[in-house]
Amino acid sequence: MIQKPKGTKDVLPNESYKWQFLEEKARKAAATFHFKEVRFPTFEVTELFQRGVGDTTDVVQKEMYTFESKGEASLTLRPEGTASVVRMFLENGLYGGSLPAKYYYIIPCFRYEKPQAGRLREFHQFGVEMFGTQQPQADAEVISLAYEFFRSLGITGLTLNINSIGCPECRKKYNEALKDYFRPHLGELCETCQGRFEKNPMRIIDCKSPICQEIAKNAPRMLDYLCDECKEHFEKVKGYLTAMGIEYQIDPNIVRGLDYYTKTVFEFVSNQIGAQGTVCGGGRYDGLVQELGEKQVPGLGFAMGLERLILLMEAQGLSLGQDETPEVFFVSFPETVEKAMQLVHDLRCQGITAECDLMGKGMKPQMKYANKIGAKYTVVLGGNEVESGQVNLKDMASGENIPCQLSDIAAFLKERK
Ligand code: HAM
């Protein structure tokens, strides 16, 4: 038996409604904040992620699904959405439109990671990106969108952690301080981090190796190195969050695992879903558009993992909607199959979910099936019923029989809905 690849998941027919529910809520939250949906390719030229996400990150160094494509440039299944949205923004000249530009996406992403609860190799993100504004109000708006989305789902107990990792200017001083700190431990760091030491010492802080984590514990913190502008920006973001009634904690250890961030970074974290507790992560990336396309356009956004969100909602016993069931099932006999087909088709054309037997089953198994699929009403359609036009609608929950004209069934069901 061929099985699905490691770290992937099937969404079975009896659980797909949960995904539809979440996606609908995400679309609604994004629309309320006036973010427009964008769709973009599942794979991109590998260089986009190398330059965008950064070639000293775990994502680029260890986790990308990269393949050669019949003599063309190397391609990679997207590990995240931001780099692609920036590419799309540049390639389509969207910077020439009105700014800020606000986009959202719901996409599968791919990372070659060790699978565990809440960590998959194919997972799904709901993300947003905003372009064109350096103002701290924008940071607060993006955070408030994630916050409002979680609230609309009834989620409680998430902690919002925020930090500032400054701009390239203040980062220079910080990188020097980091190097001074790590230098005596250089030989103990993992091989990847030894390579990061010169190029990007901040990456050592979010290395997953336990030894590097232990060493990095007391590393200098970016917050102590912020320049005046970055400090003021961070103060204002905090002020707006407070004004909106959004509680947060400062976590000076957040550096995020992707290279493009500047200034504000944030994560929504749960302690109810195991080790992979970060449900949402994001921040500002004022240099990324310039890095990829020579246009100086600031940006910011977040992405949240839908699998982790479902885990969390299930842990909290929250509703993820419900499965749709048919309004009515027509139990037919060989001589009334044609009439049943006609009636079902007629109801479906009016938007009513109706079912009839497609298996040539007898009456009892048909009733059993109708019960199993959760039909709200059943109608036994014998020759007499077809002739007289008079039937009984059986309420499957109460067992009550409601007499009805065949021609009135649509109106009856619409009224009950
Ligand atoms: P990220 O922190 O790499 O950020 O991923 C965002 C979220 O995706 C995580 O918080 C987590 O919920 C989910 N996630 C990541 N990896 C996995 C995995 N292997 N399995 C399951 N879920 C996972 C980004 O991707 C940035 N592009 C976010 C962003 C948008 N920043 C600015 N704009």
Side-chain angles (χ1 to χ4, degrees):
M1 247 303 286
I2 297 173
Q3 299 196 331
K4 61 184 178 307
K6 205 170 153 188
T8 64
K9 263 197 171 156
D10 295 319
V11 176
L12 299 178
N14 62 355
E15 53 185 3
S16 50
Y17 72 90
K18 297 178 190 172
W19 287 83
Q20 290 167 357
F21 174 84
L22 266 192
E23 286 164 12
E24 203 176 299
K25 287 274 191 186
R27 289 177 197 290
K28 186 134 188 275
T32 311
F33 283 70
H34 198 231
F35 282 65
K36 301 247 184 224
E37 187 179 6
V38 288
R39 300 188 185 204
F40 41 90
T42 309
F43 54 87
E44 299 271 2
V45 169
T46 303
E47 193 189 342
L48 175 70
F49 302 115
Q50 287 168 337
R51 279 179 40 205
V53 172
D55 54 13
T56 54
T57 60
D58 268 2
V59 168
V60 169
Q61 288 188 323
K62 302 179 186 167
E63 298 169 2
M64 292 207 304
Y65 283 94
T66 296
F67 54 98
E68 295 306 319
S69 169
K70 301 193 191 295
E72 289 170 18
S74 164
L75 297 173
T76 292
L77 295 182
R78 61 176 169 231
E80 58 110 50
T82 310
S84 297
V85 178
V86 170
R87 198 257 320 127
M88 184 187 74
F89 181 76
L90 284 161
E91 189 170 337
N92 295 281
L94 299 179
Y95 48 83
S98 38
L99 299 175
K102 310 205 285 187
Y103 310 127
Y104 81 91
Y105 49 86
I106 300 173
I107 53 166
C109 296
F110 308 86
R111 293 186 194 176
Y112 186 82
E113 290 194 88
K114 202 161 177 225
Q116 63 178 87
R119 194 204 271 160
L120 291 139
R121 290 182 173 174
E122 181 181 21
F123 60 98
H124 295 79
Q125 286 190 343
F126 161 44
V128 310
E129 311 294 347
M130 190 194 291
F131 295 98
T133 171
Q134 279 182 332
Q135 298 298 315
Q137 297 92 296
D139 308 46
E141 176 171 306
V142 163
I143 294 172
S144 71
L145 167 44
Y147 182 90
E148 166 52 20
F149 177 57
F150 293 134
R151 196 204 56 80
S152 76
L153 295 171
I155 292 172
T156 50
L158 272 182
T159 308
L160 165 61
N161 292 323
I162 63 171
N163 189 20
S164 174
I165 55 168
C167 62
E169 270 319 298
C170 37
R171 193 89 55 79
K172 271 188 209 151
K173 257 198 316 181
Y174 178 57
N175 279 343
E176 283 315 310
L178 277 181
K179 280 196 203 163
D180 290 345
Y181 174 83
F182 284 119
R183 196 167 288 112
H185 305 283
L186 198 51
E188 302 157 55
L189 295 173
C190 76
E191 212 174 300
T192 319
C193 283
Q194 293 191 11
R196 288 163 167 166
F197 176 80
E198 277 303 330
K199 266 183 105 176
N200 193 355
M202 216 169 81
R203 279 278 75 84
I204 302 171
I205 296 181
D206 71 342
C207 177
K208 287 172 191 139
S209 133
I211 297 171
C212 298
Q213 275 180 7
E214 185 58 34
I215 296 170
K217 245 187 186 161
N218 298 316
R221 290 160 163 193
M222 184 65 222
L223 274 186
D224 299 325
Y225 292 81
L226 292 183
C227 65
D228 288 346
E229 194 206 317
C230 289
K231 238 185 235 162
E232 191 189 336
H233 186 95
F234 195 45
E235 287 308 312
K236 285 194 171 154
V237 173
K238 291 191 283 183
Y240 296 135
L241 291 177
T242 305
M244 289 191 278
I246 297 175
E247 276 181 42
Y248 60 84
Q249 284 180 10
I250 313 276
D251 180 351
N253 294 319
I254 303 179
V255 290
R256 309 277 299 127
L258 314 160
D259 268 355
Y260 44 66
Y261 292 109
T262 53
K263 294 186 176 161
T264 317
V265 285
F266 61 91
E267 291 179 347
F268 284 85
V269 184
S270 163
N271 57 12
Q272 287 180 286
I273 53 170
Q276 303 304 314
T278 308
V279 179
C280 172
R284 181 168 274 286
Y285 47 85
D286 287 346
L288 182 59
V289 180
Q290 168 87 3
E291 164 66 31
L292 293 174
E294 300 297 317
K295 295 268 176 234
Q296 252 185 346
V297 184
L300 67 159
F302 68 69
M304 57 180 77
L306 295 183
E307 286 82 1
R308 290 187 193 176
L309 200 54
I310 290 179
L311 279 180
L312 177 61
M313 290 183 68
E314 288 180 339
Q316 297 194 351
L318 293 169
S319 163
L320 279 151
Q322 54 191 20
D323 220 348
E324 284 284 321
T325 56
E327 296 297 315
V328 62
F329 185 97
F330 287 92
V331 176
S332 61
F333 301 90
E335 65 276 19
T336 61
V337 169
E338 205 173 292
K339 186 66 183 173
M341 292 295 289
Q342 182 212 322
L343 286 166
V344 164
H345 183 69
D346 199 47
L347 291 175
R348 288 170 175 169
C349 290
Q350 298 180 63
I352 296 168
T353 309
E355 281 273 46
C356 63
D357 175 55
L358 297 176
M359 302 276 286
K361 284 181 183 154
M363 178 175 159
K364 259 199 171 158
Q366 284 190 52
M367 279 305 254
K368 220 170 148 188
Y369 177 75
N371 197 27
K372 250 192 171 160
I373 62 172
K376 291 177 194 123
Y377 294 93
T378 50
V379 174
V380 175
L381 198 64
N384 288 345
E385 281 82 1
V386 172
E387 210 165 286
S388 65
Q390 179 71 41
V391 293
N392 277 322
L393 276 159
K394 182 175 178 187
D395 183 326
M396 295 297 276
S398 66
E400 186 191 356
N401 274 312
I402 304 149
C404 185
Q405 289 291 320
L406 269 180
S407 52
D408 292 340
I409 290 183
F412 174 87
L413 292 174
K414 277 185 193 161
E415 201 175 296
R416 289 283 158 131
K417 230 183 160 185

